[in-house]
Amino acid sequence: MGFDRFCSVDGSDPFWDWNHTWYTPSPDFTQCFHNTVLVWLPCLYLWICAPIYLIYLRSHNQGYICMSLLNKAKTAVSLLLWIICWADVFYSFWERSHGSSVPAPVLLVSPTLLGLTMLLATFIVQYERMKGVQSSGVMLIYWLLATLCAIVTFRSKILQALDQLSTVCVWRYTTFFIYFTLLLIALFLSCLPDRPPLFSQAVKDPNPCPEHGASFLSKITFWWISRMMVIGYKRPLEEKDLWSLNLDDRSQNVVPQLVHRWNTECQKVKRTEEKTLYSPRQDRQRETKQGPAVEESEILLTKTQQKAKEPSLFWVLCLTFGPYFLISCLYKFIQDILMFVGPEILRLLISFVNNSNAPSWHGFFYTALLFVCTCVQSLVLQRYFHVCFVTGMRLRTAIIGAVYRKALVISSAARRTSTVGEIVNLMSVDAQRFMDLITYINMIWSAPLQVVLALYFLWQNLGASVLAGVAVMILLVPVNAVIAMKTKSYQVAQMKSKDNRIKLMNEMLNGIKVLKLYAWELAFKDKVAGIRESELQVLKKAAYLGAVSTFTWVCAPFLVALSTFAVYVLVDEHNVLDAEKAFVSLALFNILRFPLNMLPMVISSMVQASVSLKRLRVFLSHEELQEDSVEHKVIAGCESLISIMDGVFCWSRSELNVCIPEGSLVAVVGHVGSGKSSLLSALLGEMDKLEGTVAIKGSVAYVPQQAWIQNSTLKGNIIFGQERKEAWYQHVVEACALQPDLEILPAGDETEIGEKGVNLSGGQKQRVSLARAVYCDRAIYLLDDPLSAVDAHVGKHIFDQVIGPQGLLKDKTRVLVTHGLSYLPQADLILVMVEGEITEMGSYQQLMATEGAFSEFLRTYAAVDQTQNNGLENGSATALAELSETGHTQCLFRSANRIRKHEEQYRMGCMLEHCCILVLIISSFVFSRLGVTEDLSQKAKNPGVGKLTEADKASTGQVKLSVFWAYLKAIGVLLSFISLLLFITHHGLSLFSNYWLSLWTDDPVINGTQPTRMMRLGVYGALGFSQGVAVFGFSLSMSIGGILASRYLHQSMLYDVLRSPMSFFERTPSGNLVNRFSKEIDTIDTVIPQIFKMFLGSMFNVLGACVVILIATPLVAVVIPFLGLLYFFVQRFYVASSRQLKRLESVSRSPIYTHFNETLLGTSVIRAFGEQERFICNSDQRVDHNQKAYFPSIVANRWLAIRLEFVGNCIVSFAALFAVIARESLSPGIMGLSISYALQLTTSLTWLVRMSSDMETNIVAVEKVKEYSDTEKEAEWKHEPSSLPSGWPTEGQIELRGFCLRYRHDLDLAIRNINITISGGEKVGIVGRTGAGKSSLTLGLFRIIERAEGHIFIDGVDIAQLGLHELRSRITIIPQDPVVFSGSLRMNLDPFDSYSDDEVWRALEFSHLKNFVSSLPDKLNHECSEGGENLSVGQRQLLCLARALLRKTKILVLDEATAAVDMETDNLIQSTIRSQFEDCTILTIAHRLNTIMDYTRVLVLEKGEIAEFDSPSNLISQRGAFYKMAKDAGLV
């Protein structure tokens, strides 16, 4: 009785009294309880939290907040409260000394404790201000607790004053009411946020994220995003509406943490490895002789390395993101506990309805408790999700950043182990998997906890019968596991097919020009369709499995309930199934259903993430370039800027020794594959150095063989991040012969250059690449054959103006790899390379004098070509032939395979890069201005004109119904209707089975048993079984429908894209197209059918619950419309913003991958210029820009969920409230049914909105796939029936009448008024300066671009009347860029399988490839790799020749294809064409005039018009334009 004495001196005031508190119509606590627990509870809370909170504040300093009015008010109120408490203490002392009775000890202790707590509160308020806390959750909860406790006491004091006025102590009453008023003020003040700290980010930021400045209440209810939601509701959100990212979420903050920890981890593993590796070696050397010791240690090394410990990426991720993520575990735990409050309150409510003697306030109390618990649960759950999603977001940022940084330092050998696509996948797919997993990962411990708790409560309810249900569950776990494993294997198979399909699509899009020229679209369409079919077969199997798993998912809870209830009633006939037992058990089974179904999903998600983790670990562990491979200091005894001493590299057989003096021009010559590019790579540190030293003194600029062009403006490409120097820039542009090009480009140097430079010709790209190097003004220039892709006269201009002894770079050190003989006499030093060795070195005169291979070769070459080539000094940029032995095809391929891999590592993924001016369709406007000469100078440059690529636009507004209709049509209307019917059946049966259960529980009990229980049980079981059948049918029909739809949509999109004209592919970045074929099609394959299922499921759940609640308590009908409106408003409000944020996010996602793709192709250039930091910064900005749209979208989800769950919680509470009011007329069964449905409603409502918005955002995929059906198309491929004679063309006569051509309808004519007739069998050369319209003519002949006016007749047939395939399949072109597709050699020659093997071999023989192909193990089935990587450029060119030989049509067009090939291949091609196409009409576009000097006639074009047309000899004698060109080329 000590406690009673503590409260009152005589012990008359007990601590607790049930009769006073519970079993009474007017409840109240005892006076002692008021004075102790209700006073001490808030104090206890604050004293426990304070130490932890103060330590936290000390380590998280946000800045200093100046004293504001709000802060002064908070401090004043706390001090006043402290004074009030001390007043009570002094009053007790005064009472003791003056009064007759001694006050109880509690009246001294409680105010003292309260006073000390108020002082602590004052201190915390001030400390928070000094640490920059704008709004405090800890203090808000304290004031709230104190106020709630005071409200109870307040009511009690009012009642006491009304009933027993004589016992009232006026002083204590007065102080209490003042105290209560001040508490309310303090509570109100703590809801307001303070001003931001001095110098905080928010002050500097134009559009800061409002989260930091929001009050605690605003944070937990996510009210702070409302402003953005309002804007989004009024108008579609735009980029400028997005807030800046929080500092903690930015790349600059997140990525370095992960990278640092990863590096530390790698170092740790290395150190432990070194310990194990090297200690035995030393021991052995002490014991034994040198020889065996080394062998032993080598064996030891290899053994240990197999067991080498891998650095753990998982542990690194845990260290980096774990601390923040741990908070989510606490939230999850609280939420799990609160989940079980609902069923408990349901039990109390049912017993309340059963017990007519219980006072009615009990019912209201339970209802209020239910409402409060569900609301707290909602707040905690959403907070949990927020933490998870933010962690996921940071994780993605960190992974993308780490992968990007690694890609910049990875060695070339490691780089070859993974394709560009695979590395991009690490950023997109694998990073996404981690994000998805983060939200579920806590289920690993949370699911077992939920299961254990649910089973405990079920045992309390039904006893041992629960075990029957548990047994069913345990049996279903392996079923689910098997399904999950099978699904996994199907997923792997599907991913494999998908990868193959995307790889093929990628190649087709890169080589689309060649497909069109050869009329091969259909062959490749069938190839893609074949892969797609196998993909759909796997999807179909997965759909059957999915139907089975949906069946178990729906039937599991029912089977569990059925088995439990059956055992319960059958074990003992006196076991009565009443409402309390049945519905509380059902509510618990519903809770149980979630973790059991989640577990397999979480496990499979973890398996996927572990695969991704491994892939990431492998990539991040790849070896990096040796940082010390190039020393940036002078080597003793060598006065040169560049030196290699005793260097041995992985490609060279012997030691290399080179010293290059400052300011000299060094030419490196050698045949294809002799290691010239590799030498430059060694100087750049890109090659693995085995021994020796490489030293470079001074900054380096590098021009690669394959020009690397960024997708930015032309100016941006040249300036390359350096500071702007206008005069120097102009100087560089002129020297690199870019001025004429700038005049042709629509917006001058502000013209946007497409991906990989698609709208520049090969020569222009090479010149831009050179201009970039020159502009950067470095000490050393490494030039890898920059003159190969330009015309002879341009090459001469560039050499004189830039590279040569009088050029811009005359004082710099230049290393020039070249095939051009005419430049060699001007070089200070020539290095001759053969098979990776430097065989000769010296000046031109020295080498000529030494009578080595070099001089011998030069003499032979000069003698043979003397007639055409007077004097090498001004000769054309001809290729340097094989040096060691000339004349045999074998030379071409001998050492190629070993060294070519290094030579061509730059060609990774750039199939279309190495091209001269006419390879690529010269994009829509390169010649736009050709016909106009006068106004070129006055032409206003408008940057808008220069836009080429169209970025993916974010569409706005609601998704149109027509899109849904298009999808349903793709499924099939009948199938859709059947699916819906089955679904409605399933839900109807489900409702009825639960209603049946409520009738069963209301059955009267006669002699302790329910007589009809067997009949009830049988019907209940039958209803459940038929539900399962219906849902199985529905799931199956839905999935099959989904597959039918995705087959149809993919087919039609593929056809639409292939039918698009060439201009479409120039405008549309290949990334967009690949994205459509991968991401959007994947969404249609797998996501949309699932979302449709879930959407319908949650919709019917909500409707069903509302129906049941209305039947049970019709009064709810008053509230439901109002709540329904609120729900609808919130949902529309949310969807408007969410949809737009999703779009903005997806639009800002592509640039990350495009930029990454670009970087991967240009790593060597970026490293050579030392621009890594700038590119890393650029990538980080793009990621942050993407996360800027992603962050509001996850917050918007939380905002929505809290509001919707509030609506759901209201419905639950109203259902309970009206049930309490109407308890006289309600049976317990109906009440149980109503509330158990209401409890599920919250989840269903949230799911419904989530699914409806997901459906809107994902159906956009259908919209995007359909959008290509509306773009312009080419003419028909074939006309049925064909009017052409079978062997057409038989003569090969070509006639152009008034032929004009323009690239776009808004541009000027590129070719005007061409009238010529070419007889069958004539050989015609087409020449002209860059941009004269040479290639436009061939494009017109193949109808790649349709004529503007005039006609072309072939053998008297107007080609405009033919189907495109009829035309293109009967004339042949050897394009300038040899495009090879991955697949067999035979497929590359004859994709339609229309020729016999003998014919194919004959074509190979004539194209000098027979010996090479015969030597391959698989002969014709030899697999070509992506872009023909495993063939040399020469071999690819000969392969194109073989294609032409196979088709052997009467007309052959040659895009002169030998600028990138050495003399050998050139001679082979020319001789074959002369012998094999003797009787054909040949049109050759020539850069090098010596190849067409023996042609019948030459057509000279100038600015799109005919300048001259006659035989070469006549034209030279006329001394016109052709004569000038021939003179430039040194032919006359």
Side-chain angles (χ1 to χ4, degrees), residues 35-81:
N35 288 338
T36 52
V37 175
L38 294 185
V39 174
W40 297 352
L41 191 68
C43 301
L44 198 65
Y45 158 79
L46 195 61
W47 283 100
I48 289 172
C49 289
I52 305 164
Y53 183 49
L54 291 172
I55 292 168
Y56 170 80
L57 284 181
R58 194 160 162 224
S59 60
H60 289 69
N61 192 353
Q62 306 271 337
Y64 179 88
I65 299 179
C66 296
M67 198 59 152
S68 61
L69 204 63
L70 178 67
N71 208 280
K72 287 174 186 167
K74 283 182 183 175
T75 314
V77 170
S78 306
L79 288 171
L80 281 174
L81 282 164

Side-chain angles (χ1 to χ4, degrees), residues 128-197:
E128 282 177 341
R129 177 180 69 79
M130 286 152 72
K131 291 296 178 189
V133 177
Q134 289 175 260
S135 174
S136 162
V138 172
M139 291 309 292
L140 181 82
I141 293 173
Y142 168 70
W143 294 122
L144 185 68
L145 260 179
T147 309
L148 288 175
C149 292
I151 286 173
V152 178
T153 312
F154 181 75
R155 172 182 174 270
S156 179
K157 286 206 184 288
I158 298 284
L159 289 176
Q160 188 188 0
L162 292 175
D163 296 345
Q164 311 158 327
L165 195 58
S166 54
T167 59
V168 170
C169 166
V170 178
W171 172 266
R172 286 206 174 85
Y173 261 62
T174 311
T175 53
F176 175 76
F177 288 132
I178 296 172
Y179 165 78
F180 184 61
T181 313
L182 287 171
L183 270 186
L184 290 173
I185 295 171
L187 178 64
F188 171 71
L189 290 176
S190 66
C191 293
L192 305 175
D194 214 331
R195 61 169 72 160

Side-chain angles (χ1 to χ4, degrees), residues 38 457 508 561 744 823 834 923 1014 1317 1474 1478:
L38 294 185
F457 285 115
M508 284 166 63
I744 294 170
Y823 313 128
V834 178
S923 134
M1014 295 312 285
T1317 304
R1474 287 190 173 89
E1478 212 172 344

Side-chain angles (χ1 to χ4, degrees), residues 880-901:
L880 194 65
E882 175 84 40
L883 286 167
S884 46
E885 39 191 293
T886 47
H888 299 292
T889 318
Q890 268 52 48
C891 304
L892 191 65
F893 313 128
R894 189 168 357 88
S895 60
N897 278 340
R898 184 170 50 77
I899 297 164
R900 192 186 48 250
K901 290 194 172 68

Side-chain angles (χ1 to χ4, degrees), residues 763-828:
Q764 286 169 325
K765 284 196 278 196
Q766 201 64 47
R767 298 203 297 277
V768 169
S769 178
L770 183 63
R772 171 196 299 150
V774 178
Y775 184 83
C776 287
D777 196 24
R778 303 288 163 98
I780 295 168
Y781 281 80
L782 304 178
L783 312 169
D784 194 349
D785 205 1
L787 305 175
S788 63
V790 295
D791 297 356
H793 59 281
V794 179
K796 189 168 180 306
H797 170 90
I798 289 176
F799 188 81
D800 296 342
Q801 297 290 319
V802 181
I803 304 168
Q806 272 73 50
L808 278 181
L809 305 178
K810 58 178 183 288
D811 304 328
K812 314 285 187 185
T813 308
R814 295 139 291 164
V815 179
L816 171 70
V817 170
T818 183
H819 285 160
L821 305 180
S822 53
Y823 313 128
L824 299 182
Q826 301 181 49
D828 303 320

Side-chain angles (χ1 to χ4, degrees), residues 1442-1460:
R1443 286 177 189 159
L1445 287 162
L1446 256 188
R1447 288 167 76 143
K1448 197 80 191 282
T1449 56
K1450 270 290 179 192
I1451 294 176
L1452 174 68
V1453 179
L1454 283 174
D1455 249 10
E1456 207 210 35
T1458 46

